[in-house]
Amino acid sequence: DAKTTQPPSMDCAEGRAANLPCNHSTISGNEYVYWYRQIHSQGPQYIIHGLKNNETNEMASLIITEDRKSSTLILPHATLRDTAVYYCIVRGSGSGNTGKLIFGQGTTLQVKP
Amino acid sequence: DAGVIQSPRHEVTEMGQEVTLRCKPISGHDYLFWYRQTMMRGLELLIYFNNNVPIDDSGMPEDRFSAKMPNASFSTLKIQPSEPRDSAVYFCASRRRGGGEKLFFGSGTQLSVL
């Protein structure tokens, strides 16, 4: 699986958009980009995933560059409850090695009032 | 849906004792995963089941660890005997068939072995 690089920490003002970048320059054609977050003392929470098109759901938007070497997770209106560690994970399709998600260090997002 | 349910939420035990962690996956999910999270090693996959059958237990650290899934709605992770280095947060997760890597995690069991 491709390695990902994320900034260790970011701040965001409450109510503003939070843009979390991720580099995955070695991603291959059949690998998806997944985003999870982990709020303190809770289990990881799936946010969104995509292959090459931009994706949006009720939680966030995922913007993947045309060359697929980087992506950005966007929380459109961050709240204090969005304070968490955000993980960008690249995984291939298919059932082989399922569940072996490498969470890495992630980005600690601090949403401030 | 209540999500993935784990019990107990916290467990404190003494070295040498048997510990049993429990998990109820989301109804209809075919895959169940057990993870362990520590500061040093991050989140590690211990074992996963597909349709109640263990598929990959290569992450189980030692023979002291065992996991079972007697039916589609229940799984256990047992440590016998427990050791202080087993102290960690243990998560259970599940997903449906064809769900890629979209996993749903429980709230975890904080295990402390004294």
Side-chain angles (χ1 to χ4, degrees), chain A residues 35-54:
Chain A
W35 283 84
Y36 278 79
R37 73 180 181 183
Q38 189 168 20
I39 296 169
H40 182 63
S41 298
Q42 297 183 23
Q45 179 187 24
Y46 165 85
I47 301 173
I48 198 168
H49 75 282
L51 184 61
K52 53 183 177 181
N53 297 322
N54 297 338

Side-chain angles (χ1 to χ4, degrees), chain A residues 34 36 38 41-46 49 87 91-92 94-103, chain B residues 9 31 33 35 37 39 43 45 48 56 58 91 95 99-108:
Chain A
Y34 284 82
Y36 278 79
Q38 189 168 20
S41 298
Q42 297 183 23
Q45 179 187 24
Y46 165 85
H49 75 282
Y87 299 98
R91 286 288 294 163
S95 60
N97 292 321
T98 185
K100 292 186 179 179
L101 303 173
I102 300 174
F103 279 74
Chain B
R9 191 77 169 89
Y31 288 81
F33 306 82
Y35 291 87
Q37 186 173 38
M39 288 294 292
L43 197 71
L45 175 66
Y48 82 89
D56 185 350
S58 60
F91 290 105
R95 72 164 175 88
E101 298 296 344
K102 184 178 178 179
L103 275 62
F104 295 80
F105 284 77
S107 298

